[in-house]
Amino acid sequence: EAQVTQNPRYLITVTGKKLTVTCSQNMNHEYMSWYRQDPGLGLRQIYYSMNVEATDKGDVPEGYKVSRKEKRNFPLILESPSPNQTSLYFCASSHSSGGATEQFFGPGTRLTVL
Amino acid sequence: RKEVEQDPGPFNVPEGATVAFNCTYSNSASQSFFWYRQDCRKEPKLLMSVYSSGNEDGRFTAQLNRASQYISLLIRDSKLSDTATYLCVVTNNDMRFGAGTRLTVKP
C-alpha cells in the first residue's frame, strides 16, 4: 500500500529534551516536506526537500532541523523543544516539487511540549 | 494579509443542502489550485484540482476566477459523510494552505 508513515503519532515531552519524528514514504517520491498545523493558521511549511541531500527552509524553520540521507526518509529533529512547538505535525511527499502534483500526507504527529 | 484566506465557518447544513465555499488568494502569479479535505484528527487528502475552465466531480464543482483571485467549491446534495474541513490550496513553486472551512452536515 502506497503511504507516508510517521512516528510517533503522539508525544508529550518537556522543554529542552531533544526529539526526532520520523517520516517514511514508499512511493519513490522525490519531494518531501514537513508542516505544522495550528488552529486558525492552517498548515505552515517548516522544511522541504527536493531530493536526497537537498533540503531547504520553509516558512517557519526556527527550532527545527531535518535531514534527507535516503530518498524514502525525512526525519524532523527538535534539538531543544519549547512549548511554542506544541502542534500537530504532518509529513508529506509528492512526485515532484512546485506544488503542481498531489501531496500525500502522513497521519500526523501530535506533539505537546510542557 | 494572509496569502490564502477562507471563511472558517462553521457551516452547519442539513442533508441534501447545497453549500458553497470561497477562498481568496493574494499572489496573482499563483499557478495551481486545489481543494483538500481533512477529516477530524486526520491528514489532509486531495479532493480535487481546480482548473481555469471550472471542473466537476460528481456532486462537487470547483471554479477559478483569476481576475478576482478566488476559487470556489460547491457541494450539491450534501451527505453526512461530507462533514469535514475543506482546505483551499494555492501554489506558485510551493503550496500555500488556507486555514480551512469547517462543514458539518446534519441529518
Side-chain angles (χ1 to χ4, degrees):
Chain A
E1 181 189 354
Q3 59 182 351
V4 179
T5 57
Q6 294 177 228
N7 281 292
R9 295 288 315 279
Y10 303 91
L11 179 61
I12 300 175
T13 189
V14 295
T15 299
K17 186 175 181 182
K18 180 179 179 180
L19 66 93
T20 299
V21 184
T22 64
C23 173
S24 182
Q25 50 92 8
N26 62 1
M27 295 170 278
N28 202 36
H29 284 165
E30 293 182 352
Y31 185 85
M32 297 185 74
S33 60
W34 276 102
Y35 295 88
R36 61 179 287 173
Q37 186 175 34
D38 302 289
L41 296 177
L43 283 150
R44 294 179 293 168
Q45 192 177 56
I46 302 170
Y47 267 95
Y48 65 92
S49 169
M50 298 179 76
N51 215 323
V52 176
E53 301 292 1
T55 63
D56 213 340
K57 296 177 180 178
D59 295 322
V60 288
E62 293 77 24
Y64 304 95
K65 286 173 59 176
V66 293
S67 67
R68 187 92 181 272
K69 293 183 170 53
E70 306 163 283
K71 197 171 188 178
R72 62 184 293 130
N73 296 323
F74 190 44
L76 179 70
I77 304 154
L78 284 73
E79 294 271 4
S80 182
S82 62
N84 65 11
Q85 292 178 299
T86 292
S87 188
L88 178 58
Y89 292 87
F90 287 104
C91 179
S93 73
S94 61
H95 180 65
S96 62
S97 63
T101 58
E102 178 182 1
Q103 288 214 31
F104 294 85
F105 287 83
T109 295
R110 189 167 291 278
L111 172 66
T112 301
V113 183
L114 301 175
Chain B
R1 182 186 171 192
K2 293 179 182 176
E3 288 196 50
V4 181
E5 295 208 54
Q6 296 181 246
D7 182 341
F11 285 69
N12 298 308
V13 303
E15 269 186 293
T18 295
V19 61
F21 307 137
N22 287 330
C23 165
T24 58
Y25 60 94
S26 60
N27 187 349
S28 60
S30 297
Q31 298 164 344
S32 303
F33 308 87
F34 306 91
W35 284 100
Y36 276 68
R37 171 196 168 124
Q38 186 173 21
D39 293 323
C40 188
R41 301 181 187 280
K42 299 282 191 179
E43 71 273 22
K45 292 183 179 179
L46 179 66
L47 177 66
M48 60 194 300
S49 302
V50 187
Y51 303 119
S52 295
S53 55
N55 49 297
E56 191 173 302
D57 183 2
R59 298 181 293 108
F60 299 84
T61 300
Q63 300 260 341
L64 166 64
N65 185 321
R66 283 190 185 271
S68 301
Q69 295 180 207
Y70 79 81
I71 67 175
S72 64
L73 177 68
L74 182 77
I75 305 175
R76 292 182 301 277
D77 189 23
S78 299
K79 311 291 186 192
L80 296 176
S81 58
D82 293 333
T83 293
T85 296
Y86 292 83
L87 307 176
C88 171
V89 182
V90 175
T91 73
N92 179 27
N93 296 320
D94 58 7
M95 298 185 91
R96 299 291 177 175
F97 288 80
T101 298
R102 180 161 177 75
L103 171 67
T104 300
V105 181
K106 299 185 175 181

